[in-house]
């Protein structure tokens, strides 16, 4: 595959126009030369014909042969006359290859000239000289026109290609790190206007993508730093408890040893949950696959309610709403519900009322905790968020709500937080497809 030919556009345009102009001048010169030759030949023929007609008139008027021949001859035209008695008047016959135009005619009139042979010759050398002069004039004029056109084209092309130079300067400034510059064409209906508008649009998209990439990089860097910080705490606890357990003397109390063992288990489980949450977020970012099957939301809610009653006896759990069936991934929907109920129990500090309401396309989880201020209702879905509010931060690793929203959107729905009518917070999941619209048991989310 050959590369793009990058010869100077000014040179290409100038040379192309000059070549076209030269071809046109040559064609015009050939046409002028042909027309001039044809017209010259017509003029010579017209002169000879007129001279023959004059000779015929003079012969009928019984003009003496010598006078007739003298009156017929003119500048560039010579004649000869052979009388009926054989007398020859005028110039002698010229060779056939001479550059002359010959016209012969037989005269009629009185006896002394009746039947005489008139020969007229026109010298074409004058016409040839004029034709040669015309060719030199055309050549000199054509060369001068090409030189003038070349000089004018250099200036005209420089002016015409000034917008391209502006594009080039802007592109180089972008490459060197400059941002924000635009061509801003006055008219976008012309070819250069459309090109400049497309160039500005490309720069807008490029700078937007660059800003998005930098923001994403910053979020990723911050997320990695926060995740490392979160992992450091349980790992440090595991390490400290393990070292303390190893250093226990043989006669150490069994209760103390069991306490250290439980501490190791608890901190390792905490680290494991954090790693599992990070893996879930990575799957969401990569586009997780959902195993969609008909799911009874009421059955899911009752199962989760039983689990909350066991782990938080001080929380009253209520399940309301119809027995809706949706098309979704049972495991991920259970995870969403578990994250929402766990967050609610954490907010109520183990005491209060938790209501799970089933709707036609999802469910809501309402608690009687301190509630969530308006500005923070969207921030709580950020990863590893920490809120300085009465409700406190999320339960666990601070990734439960981002994961819940991610899986909700993977199902084609959405999850958000709003204020509950009697105080507290309400998390609403909507947009799940009814099970009756199932087309296949397994679908990949967009």
């Amino acid at each position: 595959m050959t590369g793009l030919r990058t010869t100077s556009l000014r040179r290409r345009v100038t040379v192309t126009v000059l070549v076209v102009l030269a071809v046109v001048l040559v064609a015009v010169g050939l046409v002028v030369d042909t027309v001039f030759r044809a017209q010259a030949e017509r003029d010579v023929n017209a002169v000879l014909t007129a001279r023959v007609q004059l000779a015929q008139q003079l012969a009928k008027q019984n003009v003496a042969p010598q006078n007739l021949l003298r009156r017929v001859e003119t500048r560039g035209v010579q004649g000869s006359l052979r009388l009926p008695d054989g007398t020859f008047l005028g110039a002698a016959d010229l060779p056939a290859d001479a550059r002359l135009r010959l016209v012969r005619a037989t005269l009629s009139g009185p006896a002394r000239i009746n039947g005489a042979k008139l020969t007229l010759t026109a010298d074409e050398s004058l016409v040839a000289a004029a034709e040669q002069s015309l060719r030199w004039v055309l050549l000199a004029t054509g060369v001068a026109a090409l030189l003038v056109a070349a000089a004018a084209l250099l200036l005209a092309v420089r002016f015409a290609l000034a917008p391209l130079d502006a594009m080039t300067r802007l592109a180089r400034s972008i490459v060197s790190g400059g941002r924000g510059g635009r061509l801003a064409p006055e008219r976008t209906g012309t070819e250069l206007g459309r090109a400049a508008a497309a160039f500005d649009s490309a720069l807008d998209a490029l700078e937007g993508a660059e800003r998005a990439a930098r923001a994403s990089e910053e979020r990723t860097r911050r997320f990695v730093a926060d995740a490392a910080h979160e992992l450091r705490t349980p790992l440090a606890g595991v390490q400290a408890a393990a070292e303390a357990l190893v250093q226990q003397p043989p006669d150490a109390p069994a209760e103390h040893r069991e306490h250290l063992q439980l501490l190791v288990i608890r901190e390792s489980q905490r680290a494991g949950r954090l790693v599992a949450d990070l893996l879930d977020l990575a799957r969401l970012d990569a586009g997780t696959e959902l195993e969609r099957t008909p799911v009874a939301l009421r059955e899911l809610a009752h199962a989760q309610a039983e689990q909350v009653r066991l782990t938080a006896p001080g929380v009253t759990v209520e399940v309301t709403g119809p027995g809706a069936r949706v098309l979704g991934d049972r495991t991920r929907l259970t995870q969403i519900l578990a994250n929402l109920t766990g967050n609610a129990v954490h907010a109520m500090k183990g005491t209060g009322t938790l209501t799970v309401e089933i709707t036609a396309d999802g469910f809501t989880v309402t608690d009687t905790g301190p509630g969530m201020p308006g500005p923070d209702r969207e921030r709580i879905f950020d990863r590893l968020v920490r809120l300085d509010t009465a409700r406190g931060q999320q339960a666990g690793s601070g990734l439960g709500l981002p994961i819940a929203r991610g899986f909700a959107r993977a199902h084609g729905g959405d999850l958000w937080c709003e204020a509950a009518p009697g105080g507290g917070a309400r998390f609403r999941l909507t947009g799940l497809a009814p099970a009756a619209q199932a087309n296949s048991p397994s679908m990949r989310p967009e």
Side-chain angles (χ1 to χ4, degrees):
M1 180 178 179
T2 58
L4 178 66
R5 299 182 65 181
T6 57
T7 55
S8 172
L9 186 58
R10 291 192 182 92
R11 185 183 305 169
R12 293 180 65 178
V13 172
T14 303
V15 171
T16 301
V17 173
L18 289 178
V19 169
V20 173
L21 182 60
V23 172
V24 171
L25 290 176
V26 170
V28 171
L30 292 176
V31 171
V32 171
D33 184 71
T34 302
V35 171
F36 178 82
R37 176 184 289 275
Q39 186 62 41
E41 290 180 354
R42 284 195 296 269
D43 291 344
V44 171
N45 290 335
V47 170
L48 293 176
T49 301
R51 297 290 96 185
V52 170
Q53 292 176 354
L54 177 61
Q56 294 284 6
Q57 293 176 359
L58 295 176
K60 291 179 180 180
Q61 295 174 4
N62 198 20
V63 176
Q66 289 286 354
N67 292 334
L68 182 149
L69 189 60
R70 188 168 49 254
R71 294 179 62 179
V72 166
E73 291 180 338
T74 184
R75 181 181 177 181
V77 178
Q78 294 182 351
S80 62
L81 185 64
R82 187 178 294 279
L83 299 177
D85 59 2
T87 304
F88 182 82
L89 301 175
D93 292 336
L94 298 175
D97 58 351
R99 190 175 177 80
L100 300 172
R101 179 67 59 84
L102 301 176
V103 176
R104 292 183 173 87
T106 302
L107 302 180
S108 59
R112 63 175 180 174
I113 203 171
N114 189 41
K117 305 296 183 180
L118 175 65
T119 301
L120 295 178
T121 61
D123 188 0
E124 291 186 342
S125 60
L126 296 177
V127 176
E131 183 179 357
Q132 187 67 24
S133 299
L134 176 64
R135 289 174 179 172
W136 280 109
V137 169
L138 290 175
L139 179 61
T141 303
V143 172
L146 288 176
L147 293 177
V148 173
L153 279 172
L154 290 175
L155 298 177
V157 171
R158 180 184 296 274
F159 174 77
L161 298 182
L164 294 181
D165 292 335
M167 292 183 186
T168 302
R169 289 192 298 270
L170 180 57
R172 288 176 177 171
S173 69
I174 294 296
V175 172
S176 60
R179 295 294 183 269
R182 294 295 184 270
L183 295 173
E186 297 178 354
R187 299 172 57 190
T188 59
T190 62
E191 294 82 357
L192 286 174
R194 289 192 295 270
F199 194 81
D200 285 350
S201 299
L203 290 180
D204 291 339
L206 176 63
E207 293 183 8
E210 185 179 25
R211 287 192 296 269
R214 289 179 178 175
S216 177
E217 181 181 0
E218 180 61 26
R219 288 194 301 269
T220 302
R221 186 183 296 110
R222 186 169 58 250
F223 175 73
V224 171
D226 291 342
H229 177 74
E230 292 292 331
L231 278 173
R232 186 181 297 113
T233 301
L235 292 179
V238 170
Q239 181 179 2
E243 290 177 353
L245 184 62
V246 171
Q247 294 174 1
Q248 288 296 308
D251 56 347
E255 294 82 2
H256 187 61
R257 184 181 298 275
E258 291 176 359
H259 173 73
L260 291 176
Q261 292 173 346
L262 290 175
L263 183 61
V264 170
I265 294 174
R266 186 175 66 248
E267 293 299 321
S268 62
Q269 288 176 342
R270 180 182 172 188
R273 285 194 300 270
L274 179 58
V275 171
D277 289 342
L278 293 174
L279 290 176
D280 284 337
L281 288 174
R283 293 189 187 98
L284 287 170
D285 292 339
T288 185
E289 292 187 2
L290 300 179
E291 296 295 330
R292 301 194 185 215
T293 57
V295 179
L297 294 180
R298 191 175 181 85
E299 177 185 340
L300 258 149
H302 278 295
Q304 186 61 32
E306 290 298 326
Q307 183 176 355
V308 172
R309 293 187 185 104
L310 290 175
T311 57
V315 175
T316 302
V317 185
E318 299 177 357
V319 178
T320 63
R325 292 174 64 86
V326 297
L327 181 66
D329 190 314
R330 185 182 185 87
T331 302
R332 298 308 182 185
L333 291 176
T334 301
Q335 187 174 358
I336 295 173
L337 188 56
N339 287 348
L340 295 180
T341 56
N343 182 77
V345 171
H346 176 78
M348 295 186 296
K349 302 185 183 304
T351 303
T353 301
L354 175 64
T355 303
V356 180
E357 180 184 359
I358 307 302
T359 61
D361 61 346
F363 50 80
T364 63
V365 176
T366 307
D367 62 60
T368 56
M372 183 68 62
D376 293 332
R377 291 173 191 162
E378 187 62 25
R379 289 184 56 208
I380 58 175
F381 292 100
D382 292 339
R383 301 177 180 185
L384 296 172
V385 68
R386 289 174 173 79
L387 301 178
D388 296 328
T389 64
R391 188 177 179 94
Q393 67 183 60
Q394 301 176 37
S397 63
L399 297 175
L401 292 180
I403 291 173
R405 170 176 275 187
F407 283 127
R409 291 179 174 176
H411 278 83
D414 203 357
L415 174 66
W416 69 92
C417 176
E418 59 188 28
R426 171 179 292 169
F427 290 85
R428 187 183 296 275
L429 170 64
T430 61
L432 301 182
Q437 297 182 2
N439 293 323
S440 63
S442 178
M443 298 176 61
R444 181 179 179 86
E446 295 182 356

